[in-house]
């Protein structure tokens, strides 16, 4: 089973960025834990701060992988194009947010992606990625 995690803008700064909201763990070390936990899954990771690169990656893997876990960061709340890309591919996508976006500013309450996703997880911290992968197994 092949699963790709995609993190969007500013998520390269996890562990450093607003630790009260996003925690103290960097994604690279968490990804190592995930690979150990799901040792039978072919798990890969891509991060980009650029909307078009995220769309290109969705197109690249979205007809051959078994699942995509996507935290599109702030693009969740702005990007019709990423929402359309999710609708255009065959691989199911799960939208993940580390924070509980519904307990935050109103502009974070709307997602242009959720409608085209298999499911949405938010507010579980980094555990959300694990839960999303689990749901594909
Ligand atoms: C986020 C929530 C978004 O609103 C924010 O722009 C992010 C991170 C989260 O993981 O909680 O960059 O997607």
């Amino acid at each position: 089973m092949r699963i790709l995690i995609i993190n969007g803008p500013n998520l390269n700064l996890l562990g450093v960025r607003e630790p009260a909201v996003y925690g103290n763990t960097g994604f690279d070390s968490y990804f190592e834990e995930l690979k150990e936990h799901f040792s039978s899954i072919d798990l890969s990771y891509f991060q980009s701060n650029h909307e078009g690169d995220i769309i290109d990656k969705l197109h690249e893997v979205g007809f051959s992988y078994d699942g995509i876990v996507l935290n599109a960061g702030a693009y969740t709340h702005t990007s019709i194009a990423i929402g359309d890309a999710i609708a255009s591919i065959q691989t199911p996508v799960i939208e993940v947010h580390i924070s509980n976006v519904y307990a935050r500013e109103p502009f974070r309450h709307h997602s242009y992606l959720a409608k085209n996703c298999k499911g949405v997880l938010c507010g579980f911290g980094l555990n959300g990625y694990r839960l999303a992968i689990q749901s594909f197994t």
Side-chain angles (χ1 to χ4, degrees):
M1 172 174 280
R2 276 192 296 181
I3 294 179
L4 174 67
I5 298 172
I6 301 178
N7 272 343
N10 302 307
L11 292 164
N12 53 311
L13 294 181
L14 280 177
V16 177
R17 168 194 187 197
E18 300 180 83
V21 179
Y22 299 111
N24 296 297
T25 308
F27 200 81
D28 286 347
S29 58
Y30 182 66
F31 183 62
E32 291 307 312
E33 283 178 36
L34 281 178
K35 280 199 294 191
E36 269 175 43
H37 187 83
F38 295 104
S39 54
S40 62
I41 296 178
D42 182 352
L43 198 57
S44 47
Y45 170 53
F46 175 77
Q47 191 277 331
S48 176
N49 294 321
H50 305 279
E51 187 175 20
D53 289 345
I54 294 168
I55 293 167
D56 286 345
K57 187 53 86 174
L58 287 166
H59 293 176
E60 183 187 318
V61 306
F63 297 89
S64 55
Y65 277 48
D66 302 292
I68 297 169
V69 177
L70 173 62
N71 184 349
Y75 286 141
T76 306
H77 318 300
T78 63
S79 180
I80 295 168
I82 294 177
D84 281 353
I86 295 167
S88 304
I89 61 177
Q90 285 168 359
T91 301
V93 176
I94 296 183
E95 176 180 329
V96 168
H97 301 287
I98 297 161
S99 64
N100 178 358
V101 287
Y102 299 103
R104 301 181 64 194
E105 302 95 324
F107 65 82
R108 297 187 203 275
H109 298 181
H110 178 260
S111 166
Y112 281 103
L113 319 184
K115 173 180 171 295
N116 299 322
C117 289
K118 185 180 178 199
V120 179
L121 279 157
C122 78
F124 294 99
L126 290 176
N127 258 329
Y129 294 90
R130 184 177 57 77
L131 295 168
I133 296 164
Q134 185 82 53
S135 78
F136 284 120
T137 61

